[in-house]
Each structure stands twice: as C-alpha cells, then as structure tokens.
Amino acid sequence: MLKEKDTIVAIATPSGYGAIAVIRMSGKNSIKIINNIFVSISLKKKLSENSINLGFIKIKKKIIDKVLILVFKKPKSYTGEDVVEISCHGSMYIQNKILSIIIDQGARLANPGEFTFRAFINGKIDLCQAESILDLVNSETLFSHELAINQMRGNISNIIKNLRKKIIDLLSLIELELDFSEENLFVLNKREFQKILDNIIKKINDLIKSFKIGNALKNGILVSIIGCTNVGKSTLFNKILKDERSIVSNIAGTTRNYIEENLIINGIKFRFIDTAGINNKTKDYIEKLGIKKTYKNIKKSDLILYVFDCLNEEILMKNLKSLQEKYPKKKIFILINKYDLIKKKINLRNYQDKDIFHISAKYGYGIKNLLDEITFFSKKITSLKENSIIITQTRHYENLKKAIFYLYKVKEDLEKSISPEFLYISLQTALECLGQIIGEVTNEDILSNIFSKFCIGK
Ligand SMILES: Nc1nc2c(ncn2[C@@H]2O[C@H](COP(=O)(O)OP(=O)(O)OP(=O)(O)O)[C@@H](O)[C@H]2O)c(=O)[nH]1
Ligand SMILES: [Mg+2]
C-alpha cells in the first residue's frame, strides 16, 4: 500500500452494466497515459489542466469508446496527485478494455481504498475523514448519512485537534514546573492545570457517551421480540417486515435460531430480531441453545418487545419481574397479542399504560400504533442537542476510552502530588490515543485495517 510512486487505476463504479461507468487513475503518469490513448474531438494535442474533454479512447487506430475525460492537476484533486477520470459507456467489455489498455501503459490496478489512502498520505484528509467517506458510501438512512457528512466535514477531527491542543498546554505547564521548581510541584498553577484537565475529561466523556447513540443510528436500533413459545412472536415479526420471513406454526418451539432483519422507518434504521420462545422446561438440546441466544440478544438490545398471549396477571408479573431483575435498565414494551381472541384490556401494577400494547399480530390490529411508539422511543434515545458531536466508529470509541483512562490517572496522581514526570507520561499516552483517531499517530496495521474495508476504486 505504501508504494506511492505507482500510477494506479480502477473502475470506480459498481461492477456490471450501467449507462456509464467511471474509471479513475491517480499518480504521476496519469496525464501522460491519457494523452497516449485519448483523441480529443477538437483534435487538441494535449489535455489541459483541470479540464473536461470529450473525445475517443483509441488504441492502434481502433476506437474503443466515446468518452468524457476529467483532468485534475495535483494538488487540486481527490488524492492530491494528478488524477484522471474517464466516464465511458457502461458495457463490461468497454470498461475492462479501457482498464487493460491503461495497465498496458504502465499503471497498476489499485488496492481497496488506495485512492482515499493517498488522499490521507498527501494530507488532503485526516484518518477520521477517510473513515467518514466509507460511511458515506455505505449510508442507508437519513441519520447515518448526516453523521457521515458531519464527520467528513471535519467536526470530529476539529474537536479532537482541540483536545490535543489542550493536552499539549498541560504538558507545557508541567515542563515549566520542571524547569522552575523541583520540589514544590504545582505551587504556581495546580488550579489552572486541574481546570483544563477537568474540561478535557468532560469533553471526552461526552464523546464516549455519544457512541451509544452514534452506533444505534449507524448500525440500527436493535429491537428483540421475545416471549414464551407460541405467543405469536414470529407472526408479529413477519407483520412488521410485511414479509413471511419467519416460520409460523401452532407447534411450540417453532423458532429455534434467532432471525434478524433490517427495516428503515422514518429515516431510522432498525434491526428486528425474532427469537426462540423462552421455555425453561424444555429438554430439547437445540431449543436450549436457541434460548441461550435469546438471552444474548436481550442483553444487546435497545428495546424489548415482550409478547404474551394471555391476561393472567400473575404470569405476566412473574415473567416481567424476572426479566427486569436480569436486565434492570432495559426498556420493555409489553405486548398482549391475540387480542382478537382475548378481547379484554389489562392494566398492570407498576407498568405505565403507554408501555402496554394490545395487538393482534395475525390480523394487524394495533401494529401501526406499536411502530409509531417504537419510532418515538428511538427518537428519544437518539435525540441530540443541536450541533452535538457524535462518535460512530468503534476505533474512535476505543481510543477515547484509553485516553480517558490515562487522564483519570493524571487526575489521581495530581491529587496524590505524585512526581510530575509520571503525569507527563500519562498525558503523553492520552495525547497519542487522540492522535490515533485523526491519524497523527498511526502504524501500518491500523491503516491497512481501515483502508482494506474500502472497495477498489474508492
Ligand atoms: N388468533 C390469533 N392467533 C395468532 C396471533 N398471532 C399468532 N397467532 C397464532 O399463534 C400460533 C403461534 O404463532 P408463532 O408466530 O409461530 O408463535 P411464536 O411465538 O413465534 O412461537 P415459537 O417460535 O414456537 O416460540 C400460530 O398458530 C399463529 O397463527 C393473533 O394475533 N391472533
Ligand atoms: Mg417463532
């Protein structure tokens, strides 16, 4: 990946037939290569810098296609190198032919993400922005798109750069202290030091907290449908998805393994899971494994839809209580299913009416209201103050967690008046963790891990 001297080429559009396709080239020979194989319609000998040109790709006097060529002269290009983009017709033959002609001219096929990698190496974007480009390409919803755009515009990079600046200020304060007083540590500026440190810790804690929201918005809000066997979980799952995705039958224990499907409602991505019915008495080995997975899913979920098919208050309360003891912080919606048969409503002690839904999964009664409330709940957990910065990458989250660990250590050591050299080392480690987020501190493993997730041509 680090062989930057090569000129690279790739098809940037998805493989297959389309109206047009884009082939992209970057590197010092890009313009020379295109001049060898392109004949402008105006018969201009050489392509000018930063121009759009109509003409033909020609090899040995044979015309391959009529194309549009965009020429970007370095450093004003995506990669910071000379870049040429060829918009050709979308035939697979044409795309591959042009690609092979360019390779014959001395370019090589790009690695996944190599264009963006070059943009990073050439200082056009930082690492955080590079990751946002991948998110942008993959964004499926209004919110995931918004998060990616904000990250691409440098919102996260700026806040990280700011925090790094403040840590550097603290390091300078320690250096000053070391220069002037060897014994009476922080006589002059301990208060100021603490104030800056607390401010950094607060900001990092806010970012760490935002990850839960960011993750939910980017990857989907996880909603598990749980309950005893035969209560109608799979029927509900199918109704929500408007698809016969899960097998429904009146045999208890029909769903063995959980099934997950995505659904976008009002621009928010949800991941609904149909689980194996909870049956503590089962002796069936496979069913037991399925139930184990149900509990695992409950643990991960943002919202639980707990389905019942009876009005027996004792059973309901017993089951709800046992779930809440296991997962005290989980949000639970109580679903009384088969309302078409039950035809009576219930109030439950200790449970708000707004969390109880009387539905008929089979006939669709109450489903719209349920989905509205699920959306309302998801908006609440993802609601943000305007302009708040949200972390969406696990890599950023992990580095922030590491950074805060060392900053708390600095706080502790400061209170114990431990030698400033130790504070200095912890601060530097925290600084390094933040540097890794934007790529100011990095290594080849991190880079290849990030860029290998890109497609070829990006
Ligand atoms: N009358 C009525 N029957 C329903 C309703 N919802 C589900 N059923 C029936 O209840 C039976 C069980 O439905 P499933 O959706 O397979 O139940 P489940 O909870 O997924 O069951 P397991 O996978 O075994 O845990 C089927 O015969 C469904 O047709 C409903 O709203 N009304
Ligand atoms: Mg089922």
Side-chain angles (χ1 to χ4, degrees):
M1 193 139 245
L2 289 166
K3 273 192 270 159
E4 274 172 79
K5 286 191 182 103
D6 301 346
T7 296
I8 52 170
V9 64
I11 301 171
T13 35
S15 93
Y17 290 95
I20 60 163
V22 175
I23 295 168
R24 209 181 211 186
M25 203 175 4
S26 177
K28 66 176 179 7
N29 290 331
S30 303
I31 296 174
K32 188 176 131 207
I33 291 175
I34 200 67
N35 274 322
N36 286 345
I37 61 170
F38 177 74
V39 183
S40 155
I41 217 149
S42 61
L43 298 174
K44 227 176 14 182
K45 277 266 168 330
K46 285 213 158 145
L47 295 172
S48 44
E49 294 180 3
N50 307 322
S51 60
I52 303 174
N53 310 269
L54 183 64
F56 301 96
I57 296 289
K58 231 174 171 181
I59 195 81
K60 292 180 193 150
K61 295 191 181 153
K62 194 171 159 47
I63 292 178
I64 307 298
D65 194 15
K66 191 174 183 181
V67 297
L68 207 56
I69 305 283
L70 278 71
V71 181
F72 304 88
K73 186 76 190 144
K74 76 170 187 183
K76 288 186 178 170
S77 70
Y78 179 67
T79 59
E81 304 171 336
D82 288 346
V83 168
V84 171
E85 283 186 10
I86 305 163
S87 297
C88 61
H89 289 101
S91 122
M92 290 289 287
Y93 173 77
I94 292 173
Q95 294 179 46
N96 288 325
K97 183 74 190 168
I98 296 176
L99 190 68
S100 66
I101 291 170
I102 292 174
I103 290 171
D104 288 346
Q105 292 283 324
R108 76 161 160 82
L109 198 60
N111 293 316
E114 195 168 0
F115 290 90
T116 309
F117 174 75
R118 289 184 175 203
F120 165 66
I121 289 291
N122 293 324
K124 299 292 284 188
I125 48 171
D126 64 35
L127 206 52
C128 194
Q129 288 170 312
E131 286 168 310
S132 74
I133 291 165
L134 184 63
D135 281 353
L136 196 63
V137 173
N138 293 331
S139 68
E140 295 174 301
T141 66
L142 175 76
F143 287 105
S144 55
H145 169 260
E146 213 161 280
L147 290 174
I149 286 279
N150 282 340
Q151 193 177 326
M152 189 173 76
R153 290 177 62 210
N155 289 4
I156 293 172
S157 309
N158 289 341
I159 195 165
I160 298 292
K161 278 180 199 155
N162 241 316
L163 288 165
R164 273 175 59 86
K165 236 188 253 159
K166 284 187 183 151
I167 295 180
I168 290 167
D169 287 347
L170 292 183
L171 287 166
S172 319
L173 281 175
I174 296 182
E175 275 166 15
L176 256 168
E177 204 67 49
L178 288 171
D179 282 350
F180 288 107
S181 73
E182 286 195 357
E183 280 162 26
N184 296 329
L185 172 67
F186 292 118
V187 174
L188 290 171
N189 44 30
K190 186 169 175 177
R191 246 212 209 138
E192 188 188 344
F193 189 97
Q194 243 161 358
K195 208 172 128 199
I196 303 174
L197 181 64
D198 285 345
N199 186 287
I200 300 170
I201 288 177
K202 184 186 172 305
K203 291 218 161 100
I204 294 184
N205 265 329
D206 286 348
L207 289 174
I208 289 173
K209 271 190 228 147
S210 79
F211 180 67
K212 191 171 178 329
I213 297 172
N215 196 39
L217 284 174
K218 188 171 131 187
N219 298 321
I221 291 160
L222 202 61
V223 185
S224 279
I225 304 173
I226 69 152
C228 297
T229 52
N230 244 343
V231 292
K233 299 178 298 298
S234 301
T235 311
L236 174 66
F237 181 70
N238 290 347
K239 200 69 174 181
I240 290 173
L241 297 172
K242 296 185 180 137
D243 186 15
E244 296 302 308
R245 177 70 182 82
S246 229
I247 298 174
V248 167
S249 90
N250 58 3
I251 301 164
T254 301
T255 309
R256 296 292 188 97
N257 205 351
Y258 72 91
I259 303 175
E260 183 178 326
E261 283 293 336
N262 296 337
L263 186 67
I264 294 167
I265 310 174
N266 294 333
I268 303 171
K269 181 172 169 183
F270 290 92
R271 289 155 61 206
F272 282 95
I273 301 183
D274 179 22
T275 61
I278 300 167
N279 172 9
N280 296 328
K281 288 185 191 136
T282 186
K283 298 219 159 56
D284 184 313
Y285 178 67
I286 308 282
E287 198 177 353
K288 274 188 188 165
L289 288 180
I291 295 166
K292 241 188 188 172
K293 286 190 183 177
T294 298
Y295 284 112
K296 268 194 186 158
N297 281 319
I298 294 174
K299 204 169 166 199
K300 292 191 295 190
S301 293
D302 299 299
L303 174 66
I304 303 294
L305 304 183
Y306 203 161
V307 186
F308 296 91
D309 65 351
C310 71
L311 286 186
N312 184 324
E313 197 170 333
E314 209 178 308
I315 296 178
L316 265 106
M317 291 302 284
K318 194 174 139 229
N319 286 339
L320 284 165
K321 221 172 132 212
S322 112
L323 187 74
Q324 277 186 324
E325 274 167 12
K326 266 197 187 121
Y327 310 99
K329 286 186 183 155
K330 285 282 166 220
K331 179 72 184 170
I332 305 169
F333 280 179
I334 301 155
L335 273 51
I336 310 292
N337 188 31
K338 307 192 186 179
Y339 184 63
D340 52 293
L341 300 177
I342 297 172
K343 293 188 177 125
K344 261 201 317 199
K345 293 203 173 177
I346 194 171
N347 292 316
L348 288 174
R349 276 173 286 130
N350 309 329
Y351 290 93
Q352 294 181 322
D353 280 352
K354 70 171 182 52
D355 291 342
I356 304 173
F357 298 82
H358 295 85
I359 61 162
S360 168
K362 190 167 177 176
Y363 299 104
Y365 174 82
I367 303 299
K368 185 181 175 308
N369 176 45
L370 174 65
L371 290 179
D372 285 348
E373 289 303 318
I374 291 172
T375 316
F376 183 71
F377 164 78
S378 68
K379 280 197 175 141
K380 240 179 7 194
I381 64 162
T382 55
S383 73
L384 302 156
K385 284 183 220 118
E386 224 170 299
N387 300 327
S388 48
I389 307 283
I390 306 173
I391 294 296
T392 60
Q393 310 276 351
T394 313
R395 192 182 72 79
H396 300 176
Y397 174 73
E398 280 167 359
N399 277 310
L400 288 166
K401 290 277 271 192
K402 261 193 244 162
I404 203 106
F405 170 84
Y406 285 102
L407 293 171
Y408 276 127
K409 195 164 172 343
V410 173
K411 198 172 156 71
E412 232 179 83
D413 289 352
L414 188 67
E415 274 152 22
K416 289 188 211 150
S417 294
I418 281 175
S419 166
E421 284 92 343
F422 290 103
L423 306 188
Y424 197 91
I425 292 169
S426 298
L427 275 174
Q428 261 191 332
T429 316
L431 185 71
E432 207 168 285
C433 295
L434 296 184
Q436 288 201 1
I437 295 177
I438 48 178
E440 275 183 27
V441 180
T442 193
N443 65 45
E444 212 170 317
D445 285 346
I446 297 176
L447 292 180
S448 72
N449 186 21
I450 291 173
F451 289 99
S452 61
K453 291 181 195 147
F454 282 70
C455 52
I456 292 175
K458 188 64 230 172

